[in-house]
Amino acid sequence: MTLEAEDKPAVLEMRTIRKAYGPVRVLADVSLSLAEGEVRCLAGENGSGKSTLIKILSGVVGADAGTVTIAGRPQGNDAKAAISAGLSVIYQDFSLFPNLTVWENIGFLAAVTAGDTLHRRSARRALATETLKRMRVEIDPDTPVERLPVASKQLVAIARALANNARIIVMDEPTTALTRSEVARLLEIVGALRDEGVAFLFVSHKIEEVFAICDTITVLRDGRVVVEGPIQEFDAASLVEAMTGRSIDSRRLPRIQAEPTAPFLSARKLGRRGEYTDVDIDLRPGEIVSVVGLLGSGRTELALTLFGTLTADEGRIEIGGLPVVFASESDAIDHGIAYVPEDRLTEGLFLNQTIRDNIVVSSLEKNLRAGFIDARALAQRARDAVKALRIKTPDVSPSVATLSGGNQQRVVLARWMERDPKLMILNGPTVGVDVGSKREIHELLVALSRSGKAVMVVTDDISEAIALSDTILVMVRGKITGRFDANDVDEDQLYNEVIKEGRA
Amino acid sequence: MSKPLSRVLATPQGVVLITVLVFALVLSIINPAFFSVATLIDLLRNSLVTGIFALGVMMVLASGGIDVSCTAIGAFAMYATMKIVLGVDIDLPIFAFFALSALIGAMLGLFNGLLIGILGLPTLIVTLGTLSLYRGVLLTFLGTTYITAVPREIIAFSRKVLVRMENAAGQMVSLPYSFLVLVGVAAVVAILINFTLFGRKIYAIGGSEEAAERIGIRIKRVKVMIYVLAGAIAGLAGMTHVTLSRMANPFDLVGMELNVIAAVVLGGARITGGYGTVTGTLLGVFVITMINTTLLMAGVPSYWQKVVIGGLIIVGTGLPIVIERLSRHRERISRSLSA
């Protein structure tokens, strides 16, 4: 019991929740409480049972045993009842209607909950503008949601919950798609709403945010609560250890210093109008180069140009000292370049297809026998890749959708490794990946580069850049504004470089 | 290209509107008699059946589905209604004819709705199946003969006209009472989709089914209702067709469904769901009818209609996408890098 919970009434009480899917026990005697105006963090790695707990809490899935009480009322397996009791879940994808306006999105939940028959335009619009004003957010209520940037969509989702008088807001990894300044703004709003008495359950595995906003914390591991208590009782290291069950070093990964070699790919004075200009970059075998910049700094466009998706208007690209022109992605692939996209869910994977097919899809020609595909050899190759990359799955035949985020990312990696690339470009390689897997992916990338591949990482995660890279390039508004040896730079210094002039 | 023009062309409705205007202009230059109230009335009369069908299909498209079975439902409903009325041989008001046809249509729509909403089958497959099924049942069990001896109420109704006038060629053109069916359906659909929560739920489901489910919308129920409504509207369209042609031909109507869907898409509804308006749909229907009838009037071989309509569908839905892409490209070029 926390200090806050003692003097304020509990709005949410979950007691000894148990849940199993078939023989697999997902939750074992999980208890969790939330007081008015409390911000609690639910932390845990992927697969620890967080999502199942949220599903039970929101009434989407029934528990095998245990009770859920919202505002004194016991809840069953009924999503509508939970909503009318004052619970709102903000999903990672926000679950908004892209085709409808901001105000209609905000008012819709309240209208459905109230069981309206008529569409009361003016009342709903007024409710929406009032809610946005209460949050001190400036979004035009008449804009269709599909035209909003991600950060604003998030705010609309929060406004929708508030418009329905939500007293408990569950946010599932709310900051995955946001940049640093947007996260700061979100946390500000959460803070203000907490003062109004709204309780939050914040599902996150970004350690710094947990400390920035939460009052209390519950850590789940393997379906059990391992620790819980006020945030003051934790520090970053103890929290990570509680989540992963082992101590994880967040500092720079140890490595053998890369031998200076001739670059595999160099770009000189590369530019694309309106996106970036005058970029010089050398990517050498055995070296990891990070390009760090905010969203919209041109970092993604640069990466896509080196992969042939976009074309440069000026400058040149050389491979092994010879100038090349990429007319398309397949030209770049033929030159041994691989690209792992930013949004692994939408850009890189066939979610409904098997792990095997996802791994071997871009290298089928390796197993041709007299023009026909040798299915058995394919499966063997996929199994070897699963083992090499430590993908957690019993077999290669389940669909990729059944894997956790970190493991999905590894499947994408595995696919490209099968093509034996000389240069790997990774865009935000650990977005949406938990702490433990993040470290493992970093280790994997370092091992990959030491095996003689050139690696380029595009990211806005400063600690990732430092942990991972040999060389760090800072990109601000389309220009490379700084070059650092990752050994000689610290987070604060790098952060200041990245946001320099980005605020103008 | 000037700014306002490119903005108009950036939506399918804009392309359609401009096509209507250009078409009318060209035709009235070729044949000055074209530009008259009589022509307008003739076009309205010819758009009636397609227009009623299209309003039902628009709702289905807005919910993210597609309905190719509407014409089979219309044909089934009107022919069955005529069989029943002639079989019982009592005098019924014309209103009852429409009500019965709508009811039969609603029941066939319910079957679509149950398969799609409750069983969760893909809409194209289901309606493609029922298109053939309903038509097959109609021709196998209800009959294949034309009913020319339609009840006198229908004859009486079809003679009632709102406007009648002579066109330049000296022929009589008229706008029959059944035009009111289109007006009524349009009004009901407009009210439903703009002023009831049920209507907004259609757009919500079309926007994101998962999101709709998560905020507590009972999507199965809404979907069943949509197909029931679309079925009832198709029944009304079938009956309207009978009053216009003064006979019931079981081979009629089926074959129109692609025209209907084309009209709805040209009217701004998207095949991916979430969009569609009553005015846009009616505009889409009007332009398709105009192309069909005026080309014929101008003496263009009828195969050309298909060419023109096909081209219009590609331009009408493709041009907005190309313009959007171009403007994004221009925006990038003009952006400054003031680092």
Side-chain angles (χ1 to χ4, degrees), chain A residues 235-250:
Chain A
D235 61 27
S238 66
L239 183 54
V240 170
E241 198 174 335
M243 282 163 65
T244 59
R246 56 190 188 276
S247 60
I248 285 182
D249 199 341
S250 65

Side-chain angles (χ1 to χ4, degrees), chain B residues 208-291:
Chain B
S208 166
E209 219 171 293
E210 198 179 13
E213 199 162 21
R214 281 177 174 168
I215 67 164
I217 294 175
R218 300 194 199 274
I219 52 172
K220 289 182 177 177
R221 199 188 290 179
V222 176
K223 279 189 177 177
V224 172
M225 273 301 290
I226 293 168
Y227 287 92
V228 169
L229 276 168
I233 291 172
L236 291 177
M239 201 60 219
T240 305
H241 177 73
V242 174
T243 66
L244 288 178
S245 60
R246 296 180 198 178
M247 66 166 189
N249 175 359
F251 294 97
D252 271 358
L253 298 175
V254 173
M256 278 175 65
E257 57 278 343
L258 291 185
N259 258 347
V260 171
I261 291 168
V264 177
V265 171
L266 283 174
R270 294 191 199 163
I271 226 90
T272 46
Y275 294 87
T277 58
V278 169
T279 32
T281 303
L282 293 179
L283 193 65
V285 170
F286 190 74
V287 73
I288 288 218
T289 314
M290 182 157 125
I291 290 168

Side-chain angles (χ1 to χ4, degrees), chain A residues 90-112:
Chain A
I90 294 171
Y91 293 88
Q92 237 176 318
D93 62 1
F94 314 137
S95 285
L96 296 169
F97 304 114
N99 54 330
L100 303 182
T101 59
V102 167
W103 71 261
E104 198 169 352
N105 265 284
I106 295 176
F108 221 123
L109 178 61
V112 172

Side-chain angles (χ1 to χ4, degrees), chain A residues 95 104 117 146 273 477, chain B residues 197 200 214 274-275 332 338:
Chain A
S95 285
E104 198 169 352
T117 308
E146 62 190 344
R273 280 167 73 189
R477 291 197 164 193
Chain B
L197 201 64
R200 302 317 296 170
R214 281 177 174 168
Y275 294 87
R332 174 177 75 80
S338 48

Side-chain angles (χ1 to χ4, degrees), chain B:
Chain B
M1 199 185 294
S2 68
K3 266 267 159 67
L5 181 64
S6 74
R7 202 169 307 145
V8 171
L9 287 176
T11 63
Q13 295 102 305
V15 177
V16 170
L17 195 65
I18 291 198
T19 314
V20 171
L21 295 178
V22 170
F23 234 80
L25 204 70
V26 170
L27 280 161
S28 48
I29 290 168
I30 296 171
N31 179 2
F34 172 80
F35 215 66
S36 67
V37 182
T39 315
L40 183 69
I41 287 175
D42 201 36
L43 285 180
L44 285 180
R45 182 192 155 99
N46 288 336
S47 334
L48 274 184
V49 177
T50 316
I52 299 172
F53 274 131
L55 288 165
V57 171
M58 186 271 287
M59 285 199 289
V60 174
L61 251 68
S63 77
I66 191 164
D67 184 1
V68 294
S69 72
C70 59
T71 51
I73 293 180
F76 192 108
M78 64 103 176
Y79 198 74
T81 304
M82 299 310 290
K83 280 276 189 187
I84 291 170
V85 171
L86 293 171
V88 296
D89 196 27
I90 357 168
D91 286 344
L92 288 169
I94 187 71
F95 171 77
F97 287 72
F98 279 102
L100 185 57
S101 188
L103 184 71
I104 294 169
M107 280 178 352
L108 299 176
L110 177 68
F111 184 62
N112 279 345
L114 292 176
L115 292 176
I116 291 162
I118 307 298
L119 291 184
L121 304 181
T123 61
L124 179 63
I125 306 300
V126 167
T127 55
L128 211 51
T130 53
L131 167 73
S132 187
L133 181 73
Y134 296 157
R135 182 161 206 238
V137 171
L138 166 67
L139 298 177
T140 314
F141 298 106
L142 290 181
T144 50
T145 50
Y146 297 6
I147 300 176
T148 45
V150 293
R152 61 174 179 282
E153 289 84 359
I154 288 180
I155 303 289
F157 182 75
S158 67
R159 282 201 179 124
K160 280 196 213 159
V161 294
L162 295 165
V163 199
R164 187 199 298 273
M165 59 168 42
E166 201 170 293
N167 71 7
Q171 298 157 322
M172 294 304 287
V173 295
S174 61
L175 195 57
Y177 255 53
S178 44
F179 181 68
L180 296 178
V181 179
L182 175 65
V183 174
V185 171
V188 168
V189 170
I191 290 170
L192 207 61
I193 63 174
N194 290 313
F195 298 104
T196 70
L197 201 64
F198 167 75
R200 302 317 296 170
K201 285 177 184 170
I202 297 177
Y203 288 88
I205 291 174
S208 166
E209 219 171 293
E210 198 179 13
E213 199 162 21
R214 281 177 174 168
I215 67 164
I217 294 175
R218 300 194 199 274
I219 52 172
K220 289 182 177 177
R221 199 188 290 179
V222 176
K223 279 189 177 177
V224 172
M225 273 301 290
I226 293 168
Y227 287 92
V228 169
L229 276 168
I233 291 172
L236 291 177
M239 201 60 219
T240 305
H241 177 73
V242 174
T243 66
L244 288 178
S245 60
R246 296 180 198 178
M247 66 166 189
N249 175 359
F251 294 97
D252 271 358
L253 298 175
V254 173
M256 278 175 65
E257 57 278 343
L258 291 185
N259 258 347
V260 171
I261 291 168
V264 177
V265 171
L266 283 174
R270 294 191 199 163
I271 226 90
T272 46
Y275 294 87
T277 58
V278 169
T279 32
T281 303
L282 293 179
L283 193 65
V285 170
F286 190 74
V287 73
I288 288 218
T289 314
M290 182 157 125
I291 290 168
N292 278 335
T293 33
T294 52
L295 284 181
L296 216 60
M297 275 168 62
V300 179
S302 62
Y303 313 115
W304 276 99
Q305 298 163 15
K306 302 236 177 253
V307 175
V308 174
I309 289 177
L312 186 61
I313 289 172
I314 292 169
V315 173
T317 53
L319 200 59
I321 296 170
V322 173
I323 287 175
E324 163 82 20
R325 213 173 283 162
L326 257 178
S327 75
R328 222 180 285 158
H329 176 74
R330 270 205 220 121
E331 195 243 339
R332 174 177 75 80
I333 298 294
S334 63
R335 212 186 306 155
S336 69
L337 285 175
S338 48

